[in-house]
Amino acid sequence: MAEVITMPRLSDTMTEGKVAKWHKKVGDKVKEGDILAEIETDKAVQDFESEIEGTLLYVGVEEGGAAAVDSVLAIIGNEGEDISGLTGGAAAPAAGTEEKKSEEQPKAETAAPAATEIPAGVEVITMPRLSDTMTEGKVAKWHKNVGDTVKEGDLLAEIETDKAVQDFESEFNGVLLKQGVEEGGAAPVDSVLAIIGPAGTDVSAVGAPKAAAASTEKPAEQKAEVKTEEKAAPAADSSSSDRVAISPLAKKMAQDKGVDIHSVQGSGENGRIVKKDIENYQPAAKPAASAPTASAAPVALSFVQGEDTETPNSQVRNIIAKRLSESKFSAPHYYLMVEINMDKAIEARKEINSLPDTKISFNDMIIKATAIALRKHPQVNSSWAGDKIIHRGNINIGVAVAIPDGLVVPVLKNTDQMTYTQISASVKDMASRAKSKGLKANEMEGSTFSISNLGMFGIETFTSIINQPNSAILSVGAIIEKPIVKDGQIVVGNTMKLSLACDHRVVDGATGAQFLQTLRTYLESPLTLLL
C-alpha cells in the first residue's frame, strides 16, 4: 500500500521547507535509509532519508520549490499502484510531466519573473536564506566572474548574512552568465543572485540586478565600503564552512554530544558521517591558545587631526545593534555580583594541565561549572514567551566572542555533558572561526544561557546585556591577587568577581542569588563538580 511522506519539520522554527535537490526520481526504487532529497530549512540544508521501501510514485514538490510543513512531499508504494486517491486525481498522471519540467527548469517558478521564459539549460540561482532572521544578503566577494566555467561544488561567492559570512557553492555545471548582485552590494532573499548556463546564451531578459539601494545611490561610498570590509573581515576559511555529508541521525547525535562534525572522519559511502563515527569520535587535543574572548582586535582606524571619517555598518553590526536595543528595552534587567576565591581553582587547573595533551583555561572551568549549576537551577535556564515561561530541556551555553564587527555568540550544545577538554577544543575552534567569519548560522543559535569574559583585559567587574531569548548572562572579570581574610588572618589570595544580569520576568532575585551561591561553591571547591 502506498505511503504518503510529508514535508518534515526539521527545526523548531521551520514552517516550510524547500527541496534543494532530489536524489530519487519518479519510478526509482527506494530502500529504507536511502536519501530521498535534500531539504533546505530556515537554518540549514539537511539530507532526508526514506523510512520505507518501494517505488517513488509521486513527487509533491519540484526541485527548487517550497512547501509548508506536513504537506505532501512524496508518495512511495508498489510499482504501477493507483495513487489518484492520495493526490487528488488530476495530480497523479501529471507527476511524470511535472518531474520532467522540473528537470529542465528547476527554479523557473521561484527564481525568475513569471513572464520571462528561461532558455533551455539555464539555471537561475537566488539569494539563499542562510539564517532564520536573514531578510537580505550581501555579496562580500565573488569567486567567479562572468564568463568563468563553473562546476558543481565550486565556490561561487561569499555571502554576508546578519550573523556571519558563509561560502556559497554552485549546485550546477555551466558558465557564469550573469551576476545579479555586484560585489559589496546587497539583495533580498530569493532575488536573483546569479545565472548559470551554456556559454553564449542570452540571459539579458532573465531577472534584474537587485543591488541594494545604497550601492546605486552612492557609488563612491559603496567602493569605500568594499575596501573597508576586505580589510576588516578576511575571507572565511572555505574548509570550515563546507556542507558536510552526514546522516540525520549522526547529525542529531553530534549536536547532542557537542561534537564538531568538521573534525569527524566519515566511514560511510563517499566519506559520509554515520552513527558509528559519532559514537567512536575522540576529540583531538589542540595547542594552547590565548583566551577565546579576548584576541579579536577592533577594526584598525587611522586618526587624522580635524578630519571626520565614516565606516558603513556591516550586516553583523546592524543586527547586533538591533538585538541589544530590543533586549535592553524589553527585558527588565537587574544585576547580582559576587566575589569568588580562586585559589583552589588555580591549583586544580595546574593539576589538570599537568596531564599529557591537556590544556584548559579558567574560562573553560567557568563554563563547565556554570553548566552544572544550571542543572540545579533550571529557572535560570528558561526563556520568557509572553504568556508563558519556557523551561529549556538542554543546557546550551553561548560564549561571547569579540570580532572586528562587534560581538558574536557561538553556542556549545549540551554543555553540561561535555568534558573540560571538549569544552576547550570547541571554544577555541569556534572562536577562531568566528574571527574569520567562518561560523555557520546554526552554530550561533539555540543558546539557553550566555557568558561574557573580559578578565583577560584586566577588567575586574562589568555588567552585560542579556542575549535574548536567554534570561540571564554571566559577566566574568579578571583574577586579581589581593589581601583577603582567611581563618582570621590577612593573607594574599586570588579573587574574581562575577556579575549576573537577569530578566526579572523570569528570574527572581532569590533564584539568581541561589544560582550564584552554587556557582561559587563549584569554583571555590572544584571537586564538588564530581558530586
Side-chain angles (χ1 to χ4, degrees):
M1 183 176 176
E3 296 279 350
V4 176
I5 299 172
T6 58
M7 178 66 73
R9 187 184 301 276
L10 299 174
S11 78
D12 53 348
T13 56
M14 177 179 171
T15 57
E16 71 171 15
K18 180 177 179 181
V19 178
K21 184 178 181 181
W22 279 104
H23 285 263
K24 297 289 184 180
K25 297 178 182 178
V26 171
D28 286 356
K29 297 292 184 184
V30 179
K31 295 180 181 179
E32 184 178 353
D34 282 357
I35 299 176
L36 273 183
E38 294 175 22
I39 307 295
E40 182 179 342
T41 74
D42 55 345
K43 296 181 178 179
V45 176
Q46 297 189 36
D47 292 337
F48 181 67
E49 298 178 353
S50 174
E51 296 179 356
I52 56 178
E53 295 189 0
T55 300
L56 182 58
L57 303 175
Y58 176 75
V59 168
V61 185
E62 63 180 24
E63 191 169 293
V69 168
D70 295 331
S71 60
V72 177
L73 176 65
I75 298 177
I76 294 177
N78 298 322
E79 189 173 357
E81 185 175 352
D82 180 15
I83 57 170
S84 57
L86 301 175
T87 61
T97 310
E98 262 184 55
E99 167 101 346
K100 186 177 178 183
K101 192 183 291 183
S102 94
E103 287 175 13
E104 293 172 357
Q105 300 179 359
K107 296 192 178 178
E109 229 173 87
T110 57
T116 305
E117 185 177 346
I118 299 177
V122 169
E123 303 289 350
V124 179
I125 300 171
T126 57
M127 178 65 74
R129 187 185 301 275
L130 298 173
S131 79
D132 55 338
T133 56
M134 177 179 171
T135 57
E136 70 171 16
K138 179 178 178 181
V139 178
K141 184 178 181 180
W142 279 104
H143 285 266
K144 295 288 184 181
N145 297 317
V146 172
D148 287 355
T149 299
V150 180
K151 295 180 180 178
E152 183 178 354
D154 280 359
L155 191 60
L156 268 185
E158 294 173 20
I159 307 295
E160 182 179 347
T161 73
D162 56 346
K163 295 182 176 179
V165 174
Q166 298 193 37
D167 293 336
F168 183 68
E169 298 177 356
S170 173
E171 297 179 1
F172 309 103
N173 296 320
V175 172
L176 182 58
L177 303 174
K178 183 176 183 177
Q179 293 177 345
V181 186
E182 62 183 29
E183 191 168 296
V189 168
D190 293 332
S191 59
V192 176
L193 174 65
I195 300 176
I196 293 176
T201 306
D202 181 13
V203 293
S204 57
V206 181
K210 297 277 185 179
S215 63
T216 55
E217 289 172 12
K218 299 182 181 180
E221 283 185 24
Q222 202 238 278
K223 286 180 183 176
E225 181 179 346
V226 175
K227 288 181 181 177
T228 305
E229 287 297 318
E230 286 175 357
K231 289 179 182 177
D237 180 3
S238 62
S239 65
S240 67
S241 54
D242 288 342
R243 184 146 55 86
V244 176
I246 183 171
S247 73
L249 177 59
K251 188 170 187 179
K252 178 69 168 59
M253 291 176 62
Q255 290 174 344
D256 292 343
K257 292 187 174 186
V259 174
D260 177 15
I261 59 176
H262 294 89
S263 61
V264 179
Q265 184 67 40
S267 61
E269 185 179 358
N270 296 322
R272 192 164 183 251
I273 299 172
V274 294
K275 176 183 175 183
K276 66 178 182 180
D277 298 323
I278 303 298
E279 289 176 336
N280 300 330
Y281 174 72
Q282 292 294 332
K286 297 191 177 182
S290 57
T293 59
S295 55
V299 180
L301 298 174
S302 57
F303 176 81
V304 179
Q305 183 70 39
E307 182 179 326
D308 294 340
T309 58
E310 295 180 356
T311 302
N313 288 338
S314 65
Q315 300 284 88
V316 175
R317 172 60 70 180
N318 284 332
I319 202 68
I320 288 172
K322 181 182 177 183
R323 294 290 166 77
L324 292 181
S325 297
E326 288 174 353
S327 178
K328 188 65 175 177
F329 295 114
S330 65
H333 287 54
Y334 73 92
Y335 307 93
L336 300 172
M337 298 183 187
V338 66
E339 191 168 20
I340 310 288
N341 186 327
M342 293 293 287
D343 287 341
K344 290 186 178 179
I346 291 172
E347 293 175 10
R349 177 173 175 261
K350 284 181 181 177
E351 288 188 29
I352 294 171
N353 286 345
S354 67
L355 299 173
D357 300 323
T358 304
K359 197 72 173 177
I360 68 167
S361 66
F362 289 114
N363 198 58
D364 301 329
M365 297 180 73
I366 293 165
I367 291 171
K368 177 67 174 178
T370 300
I372 303 302
L374 287 170
R375 278 188 193 170
K376 292 195 172 182
H377 302 278
Q379 187 72 14
V380 184
N381 197 56
S382 304
S383 299
W384 178 259
D387 59 347
K388 60 188 175 184
I389 294 174
I390 302 174
H391 306 288
R392 302 296 179 183
N394 293 324
I395 295 173
N396 303 331
I397 293 184
V399 182
V401 175
I403 62 172
D405 282 335
L407 196 72
V408 294
V409 186
V411 179
L412 302 177
K413 304 292 175 66
N414 296 294
T415 320
D416 56 320
Q417 299 174 25
M418 299 174 73
T419 64
Y420 279 134
T421 52
Q422 287 174 329
I423 290 173
S424 178
S426 296
V427 171
K428 288 169 185 172
D429 170 59
M430 289 197 291
S432 173
R433 289 191 287 120
K435 292 161 196 170
S436 62
K437 294 190 176 181
L439 279 178
K440 290 188 176 181
N442 63 352
E443 293 178 302
M444 293 181 282
E445 296 173 350
S447 69
T448 60
F449 186 91
S450 299
I451 295 177
S452 180
N453 189 341
L454 292 178
M456 63 288 302
F457 292 111
I459 303 298
E460 293 187 39
T461 183
F462 67 103
T463 58
S464 302
I465 298 174
I466 296 169
N467 178 34
Q468 291 190 337
N470 301 174
S471 292
I473 183 170
L474 185 70
S475 304
V476 182
I479 298 176
I480 303 296
E481 193 174 50
K482 58 185 281 190
I484 62 171
V485 177
K486 187 175 183 180
D487 299 327
Q489 301 292 321
I490 296 177
V491 297
V492 175
N494 295 277
T495 66
M496 177 183 69
K497 291 180 181 178
L498 301 178
S499 172
L500 183 70
C502 302
D503 182 344
H504 216 319
R505 298 173 299 179
V506 180
V507 182
D508 294 328
T511 304
Q514 290 164 0
F515 168 77
L516 282 180
Q517 283 181 338
T518 301
L519 182 56
R520 168 189 248 164
T521 299
Y522 288 151
L523 290 173
E524 292 189 340
S525 303
L527 287 178
T528 55
L529 283 170
L530 303 176
L531 300 177

